[in-house]
Amino acid sequence: MKSQQQYPQPISFEFFPTKTTEGAKKLAQVRDELSILNPLYYSVTYGAGGSTQEGTVNTVMSIKDAGFSAAPHLSCIGATRNGLGDLLNTFINMGINRIVALRGDLPSGNRDIGEFRYANELVEFIRSETGSHFHIEVAAYPEVHPQAKNARSDLEHFVTKMNAGADSAITQYFFNIDAYRYYVDSCEQAGLDKPIVPGIMPITNYSRLAGFSDMCGAEIPRWLARRLESFGDDIESIKALGLDVVTSLCEQLLAAGAPGLHFYTLNQSKTTLKICQNLGLGE
Ligand code: FAD
């Protein structure tokens, strides 16, 4: 793996849109607490099939209004060209210049896949409609996307997506650094030299993490799963081991030349702050 390093390595934080005024107030507080780490941007997820469109736009707007850089996620499955074109214009008018472009997953039962099938088509569409206005991030899967036919075709599709006009990628979270190293090496061998930023999942709740991991195909190593499981309702022990494991993973990633870290904050600041402080970031 060649060093993808750029000093200082930037960090970014991911939020999901809030549904209530109270939630929005809490998220603003989380955002401000994390701002001491001087993030490159805060990204805001976009619900399957556009289900959180208004919430995503409002959350992005509040981040922007508070003077920070915001990157909306945008998924294309179930969408139309006209609908996404309008949304891109809304983002341009809001002064947004970074976007996380995804295929997304349709809610079960919804069979209308819309006018796009894969994320590479969305990247092409954004480029054809808006030229070089947006910095486009896409998703990468060091442990292989759960619906992929096999690891090799998944990598080929990722390369196609990057070559369609993406600037950089953020990975699904993982706890095994070798998965990331081999993935980045394979991308380099395929001629890609764009940054692939590891996505970092802080560990605060084992049953929620296990549920997410099953869905998105991220593997919790057996020894870690067994130890976390053995703590039962003892949240403090789960958090303590989680903090140790994730800090160590981030240290190894930065030492190996990862070009940044993207934290899945789950709209909480405490654990992410502790990890970053352990790493000496934002000092
Ligand atoms: P794609 O790159 O299109 O890949 C999807 C699958 O199709 C893969 O298995 C790939 O191998 C295969 N494939 C790709 N191209 C082709 C092709 N041409 N022919 C055949 N097969 C192909 N979901 C949301 O709903 N909202 C979010 O905000 C969101 N944010 C995310 C952020 C990050 C950083 C990550 C890693 C994931 C996020 N997701 C989000 C989840 C994501 O939408 C799902 O993982 C989804 O199943 C795949 O999206 P993708 O953009 O990676 O799809």
Side-chain angles (χ1 to χ4, degrees):
M1 182 177 145
K2 270 195 303 206
S3 174
Q4 302 183 65
Q5 242 162 9
Q6 202 196 345
Y7 287 100
Q9 287 122 308
I11 49 175
S12 48
F13 299 121
E14 183 169 310
F15 294 150
F16 52 82
T18 53
K19 293 193 179 114
T20 59
T21 318
E22 189 53 31
K25 261 195 212 153
K26 276 196 191 145
L27 187 59
Q29 196 182 332
V30 166
R31 178 199 69 209
D32 290 346
E33 284 161 5
L34 290 170
S35 70
I36 60 160
L37 295 163
N38 199 18
L40 184 62
Y41 64 91
Y42 296 92
S43 81
V44 182
T45 62
Y46 187 82
S51 56
T52 65
Q53 184 169 316
E54 196 183 331
T56 302
V57 171
N58 291 342
T59 307
V60 161
M61 180 105 79
S62 70
I63 294 170
K64 193 85 181 77
D65 286 350
F68 301 108
S69 175
H73 294 208
L74 183 60
S75 67
C76 62
I77 197 87
T80 61
R81 281 164 200 275
N82 282 344
L84 289 188
D86 289 349
L87 196 50
L88 289 171
N89 282 331
T90 303
F91 290 140
I92 290 174
N93 293 333
M94 284 164 65
I96 299 296
N97 54 18
R98 182 183 284 262
I99 221 158
V100 184
L102 303 143
R103 185 195 68 173
D105 292 309
L106 277 178
S108 55
N110 187 341
R111 300 209 160 266
D112 181 9
I113 67 157
E115 296 178 9
F116 300 83
R117 288 176 64 210
Y118 298 108
N120 66 294
E121 296 166 20
L122 175 61
V123 174
E124 275 166 26
F125 177 73
I126 298 172
R127 284 285 173 246
S128 73
E129 294 294 299
T130 65
S132 58
H133 178 85
F134 290 105
H135 177 111
I136 304 179
E137 305 271 358
V138 291
Y141 301 85
E143 294 184 321
V144 186
H145 184 264
Q147 289 150 15
K149 200 163 91 190
N150 57 50
R152 184 189 283 216
S153 70
D154 200 34
L155 187 82
E156 285 166 3
H157 293 138
F158 174 68
V159 172
T160 304
K161 178 164 70 172
M162 289 297 268
N163 288 337
D167 295 290
S168 47
I170 305 168
T171 75
Q172 184 56 275
Y173 67 88
F174 55 87
F175 297 106
N176 182 345
I177 189 173
D178 284 338
Y180 175 76
R181 281 207 188 101
Y182 279 99
Y183 190 78
V184 171
D185 278 349
S186 305
C187 290
E188 284 169 7
Q189 281 158 20
L192 277 187
D193 63 353
K194 297 174 183 176
I196 301 174
V197 175
I200 305 297
M201 179 64 90
I203 301 175
T204 53
N205 175 318
Y206 175 64
S207 52
R208 197 166 53 180
L209 178 70
F212 271 161
S213 304
D214 271 353
M215 262 185 335
C216 68
E219 189 172 85
I220 311 175
R222 179 183 160 83
W223 71 269
L224 180 57
R226 292 292 95 83
R227 288 190 74 140
L228 290 170
E229 205 175 58
S230 74
F231 292 136
D233 293 334
D234 177 1
I235 297 293
E236 289 317 308
S237 296
I238 292 175
K239 285 186 178 167
L241 177 61
L243 182 62
D244 218 39
V245 166
V246 178
T247 299
S248 161
L249 174 67
C250 293
E251 276 167 356
Q252 293 174 64
L253 284 164
L254 293 174
L261 299 172
H262 179 81
F263 288 88
Y264 295 108
T265 69
L266 304 179
N267 289 6
Q268 306 286 326
S269 61
K270 224 168 157 184
T271 311
T272 299
L273 271 171
K274 277 191 192 153
I275 296 167
C276 292
Q277 279 155 2
N278 285 349
L279 295 170
L281 298 172
E283 283 171 355

